[in-house]
Amino acid sequence: MHPRFHTAFSALPATLQSALQPYLDASDFPAMFTAEQAAAIRSGCGLDDDALAFALLPLAAACSLTPISHFHVGAIARGQSGNLYFGANMEFSGAPLQQSVHAEQSAVTHAWLRGEKALASITVNYTPCGHCRQFMNELNSGGALQIRLPGRAPATLADYLPDAFGPKDLDVASLLMDEVNHGHQLPLNDALTQAALAAANRSHAPYSNAHSGVALETADGSLYAGRYAENAAFNPSLPPLQAALILLNLSGGDCRAIRRAVLAEPQDASISQWDATRVTLAALGCQNVSRAAF
Ligand SMILES: [Zn+2]
């Protein structure tokens, strides 16, 4: 079991510990459970869908990286497939606070990067901030997304974000988590560059059309790619580097052990991720960053 889970795991009820341990003990535990695994866990410990998601929150929060706030937020996103995905907040010492990742963004992006097509619900241990409500308003599940909070009645995103401004106000039909392929190409065979390009091709950038992706290679040779998730309100957009860092962190990797990074983005677009990507990676100790422009 990854050491970050030890304290939270030890506080769980014994029946839940028994049901979870085989999965958590796997060296490649991906901080998610398939629908079948979730069903097996539920039958093993007697919890229903919502109760299991609440019970998993301390494990999700244990994945947070919070050198600035020391405030641990965990989230569990449930996909329409029934899969459960962990999410946790992330902060980066030395980088602007705007580069931070909120737990809801982490769980949503985690589900998206693992191939989930839409979300049914998200369970969080603290009430979603305004930034996250707006971020989630970009999803193809829209206002119907179920929000679950400790001690609160079940509600929807529309309940938490009334009179919302979103994609439809800008006549945008393609929503976050919709399947897309923008079809950009690069004449390069380098695996990391191709991973960044593939991520850019599946990114959500309907406002700027500056499709972008980042791929990271860590010291142990693992590769993680993240896609840009743009937002109708612009500022809550999640950069492609952050998406890749979410996947790296939740997969059990070390964000301070990145040895190479590639950003794939358009040569000439109205916006660029280049400067922000380099600054944040430098704060994580990685200077080996290249830009592949298409
Ligand atoms: Zn938030």
Side-chain angles (χ1 to χ4, degrees):
M1 186 182 302
H2 194 294
R4 62 185 170 180
F5 295 125
H6 286 167
T7 302
F9 182 81
S10 66
L12 297 177
T15 52
L16 184 56
Q17 284 187 359
S18 302
L20 291 175
Q21 187 143 20
Y23 304 105
L24 291 175
D25 276 349
S27 60
D28 58 351
F29 173 61
M32 67 161 286
F33 298 108
T34 65
E36 293 73 24
Q37 291 170 341
I41 294 165
R42 288 197 305 272
S43 68
C45 65
L47 299 176
D48 66 16
D49 269 336
D50 279 344
L52 176 59
F54 280 120
L56 292 173
L57 285 177
L59 294 172
C63 298
S64 65
L65 298 175
T66 56
I68 299 161
S69 71
H70 307 291
F71 187 73
H72 308 290
V73 188
I76 300 290
R78 183 165 62 228
Q80 285 191 342
S81 68
N83 292 358
L84 302 178
Y85 304 89
F86 287 26
N89 56 328
M90 302 173 74
E91 301 156 1
F92 310 107
S93 293
L97 284 182
Q98 283 84 352
Q99 302 301 314
S100 305
V101 174
H102 295 217
E104 295 90 327
Q105 292 180 302
S106 171
V108 167
T109 303
H110 187 200
W112 185 38
L113 295 179
R114 293 212 190 268
E116 191 69 44
K117 304 290 187 279
L119 295 185
S121 70
I122 188 157
T123 304
V124 197
N125 58 350
Y126 294 99
T127 188
C129 73
H131 177 86
C132 287
R133 297 177 196 205
Q134 185 68 48
F135 180 80
M136 294 188 287
N137 194 47
E138 195 74 19
L139 286 164
N140 57 7
S141 40
L145 179 71
Q146 297 288 318
I147 308 279
R148 297 285 185 270
L149 296 171
R152 309 276 182 85
T156 65
L157 179 61
D159 295 324
Y160 281 99
L161 191 67
D163 202 14
F165 176 84
K168 292 180 178 63
D169 296 299
L170 297 172
D171 295 324
V172 161
S174 174
L175 303 173
L176 183 57
M177 291 185 80
D178 281 348
E179 273 194 284
V180 291
N181 183 351
H182 304 300
H184 305 295
Q185 297 187 345
L186 280 168
L188 294 170
N189 291 319
D190 170 60
L192 201 63
T193 303
Q194 289 301 329
L197 176 67
N201 277 329
R202 300 179 70 183
S203 65
H204 175 73
Y207 309 101
S208 68
N209 284 315
H211 310 125
S212 61
V214 164
L216 307 171
E217 181 185 284
T218 49
D220 64 359
S222 299
L223 190 159
Y224 306 94
R227 311 166 194 151
Y228 179 37
E230 205 162 67
N231 189 277
F234 284 19
N235 299 72
S237 301
L238 189 78
L241 171 63
Q242 273 69 0
L245 290 169
I246 287 166
L247 190 60
L248 189 164
N249 176 45
L250 291 171
S251 300
D254 181 354
C255 290
R256 302 198 67 87
I258 299 165
R259 68 180 175 196
R260 195 160 75 93
V262 175
L263 164 69
E265 67 173 358
Q267 180 65 50
D268 298 305
S270 52
I271 64 163
S272 171
Q273 306 292 339
W274 177 234
D275 287 337
T277 301
R278 278 188 305 161
V279 166
T280 303
L281 280 168
L284 290 167
C286 174
Q287 307 284 351
N288 187 358
V289 188
S290 57
R291 177 174 182 259
F294 49 75

